[in-house]
Amino acid sequence: MKWNQYRLKTTTQAEDIISSMLAELGVEGVQIEDRVALSESDKEKMFVDILPDIPEDDGTAYLTFYLDSEEDNKALLEEIKKELEEMKEFLDLGECVIEESQTEDIDWINNWKQYFHQFYIDDILVIPSWEKAGEEDSDKMIVHIDPGTAFGTGMHETTQLCIRALKRYVEKDALVLDVGCGSGILGMLALKFGAGHSFGTDLDPCAIAATHENMEANGIRTDQYDVIIGNIIDDARIQEEAGYEKYDIVLANILADVLIPLTPVVINQMKPGAVYITSGIIDDKEQDVVRAVEDAGLEVLEVNHQGEWVSVVSQKQM
């Protein structure tokens, strides 16, 4: 199907109000391109697996939206132009020029292929399905991960901190719980390291499909790894389905503000002596997470750093 593409050149100051106007008029999605750098607050609230270099902000923003080819959209476009003219009276819209073109349906997920290539985490090779391992990697542990709609390719420092800790502490036939499993990379590596079963929870429904696809790519059976959607912090059904005092290792690669309320709950899923591996902690939140872990009665075993990120590893008393 062909779509009419409209790319509006404006200012970063105006991008939010124009986006809101487009949404109110019935435009279902707007792609925003600007050079505004992430603030420290933004970085604390999100993980970024793949982030291209961004040139210095010049105050310019481009808003791209799509309309199908039906006649009714001519009226909608005229209404958009009318609204923009009225905005000019009280807001700097810059050039406010709309470029029109036609495009085919866009495969957004596959566009990430230009950014994601195979890489190493110590002796582990992480490789997407469209690339092949070379003969020189025959001695490496290989995990196949495709970037999609769920977080976790292994490129981010937080995931690498978890992987290294998991490799140190996992034992043969261990039961592993991954809270916020995303793509399933940690649960799959736990199995490759010798664990007997992985169980993942996530808030994003995309995590189930992403994990199942990656399991298939890695030859992992469905009876080896279960994934459910729900919030283990406050949903008794999810807590019950995961099981109590069951796991040898619990993984949580989540932001500190989630780890703090999660910790006193998820200790109920841990066996006595179980290891709790947390990551996703920006460095200035380290002491907050350490305090939450200790308040829950866990013993801190390790605190590790990579870049500005922190992993706290602790253990439930026997």
Side-chain angles (χ1 to χ4, degrees), residues 29-281:
V30 178
Q31 174 186 333
I32 299 176
E33 303 169 67
D34 60 33
R35 296 179 178 180
V36 178
L38 291 174
S39 67
E40 290 305 315
S41 176
D42 291 332
K43 291 178 182 178
E44 289 183 14
K45 294 176 182 176
M46 66 184 294
F47 292 122
V48 183
D49 261 12
I50 307 167
L51 183 63
D53 291 334
I54 300 175
E56 186 177 347
D57 180 24
D58 62 358
T60 302
Y62 293 90
L63 276 63
T64 302
F65 57 95
Y66 300 87
L67 304 176
D68 62 30
S69 301
E70 295 179 4
E71 194 72 19
D72 290 346
N73 285 321
K74 291 183 179 179
L76 175 55
L77 186 59
E78 289 304 313
E79 183 66 22
I80 290 169
K81 291 178 178 178
K82 177 184 174 183
E83 291 285 338
L84 290 170
E85 286 299 319
E86 292 178 0
M87 282 185 191
K88 288 181 180 179
E89 297 180 9
F90 62 88
L91 186 64
D92 179 11
L93 301 188
E95 294 184 23
C96 198
V97 175
I98 299 178
E99 297 177 359
E100 301 184 23
S101 60
Q102 200 170 62
T103 184
E104 300 284 352
D105 278 343
I106 298 174
D107 189 351
W108 297 105
I109 291 175
N110 283 329
N111 282 348
W112 282 99
K113 291 182 179 180
Q114 62 185 299
Y115 300 114
F116 183 45
H117 303 285
Q118 57 183 278
F119 63 97
Y120 299 96
I121 306 171
D122 302 330
D123 59 347
I124 302 166
L125 174 62
V126 180
I127 184 169
S129 61
W130 58 89
E131 294 188 2
K132 294 182 178 180
E135 293 183 6
E136 68 276 11
D137 295 315
S138 59
D139 60 337
K140 301 288 192 301
M141 175 179 287
I142 296 175
V143 59
H144 298 275
I145 292 289
D146 282 358
T149 53
F151 172 81
T153 63
M155 292 185 73
H156 199 279
E157 292 96 328
T158 59
T159 311
Q160 294 182 19
L161 284 164
C162 272
I163 289 170
R164 292 186 177 107
L166 177 62
K167 190 175 181 180
R168 287 194 296 275
Y169 287 99
V170 72
E171 295 182 355
K172 182 175 173 55
D173 297 328
L175 299 183
V176 176
L177 171 63
D178 183 8
V179 180
C181 62
S183 68
I185 185 171
L186 295 176
M188 291 190 302
L189 280 172
L191 295 169
K192 287 178 177 288
F193 293 152
H197 189 270
S198 291
F199 191 99
T201 71
D202 205 287
L203 299 180
D204 185 352
C206 294
I208 289 185
T211 299
H212 286 170
E213 289 170 6
N214 288 322
M215 286 168 57
E216 183 176 357
N218 286 277
I220 292 173
R221 303 187 312 271
T222 55
D223 64 336
Q224 293 177 287
Y225 195 163
D226 294 308
V227 186
I228 61 173
I229 299 302
N231 191 343
I232 199 170
I233 294 176
D234 57 15
D235 190 331
R237 180 185 63 83
I238 300 299
Q239 297 167 10
E240 182 73 28
E241 195 166 348
Y244 297 102
E245 293 199 344
K246 178 177 179 179
Y247 297 95
D248 301 286
I249 292 181
V250 172
L251 301 160
N253 184 19
I254 312 176
L255 294 174
D257 289 344
V258 180
L259 288 172
I260 291 168
L262 169 68
T263 299
V265 174
V266 82
I267 58 171
N268 297 308
Q269 272 62 49
M270 299 166 62
K271 292 178 180 177
V275 173
Y276 182 42
I277 300 172
T278 68
S279 190
I281 308 159

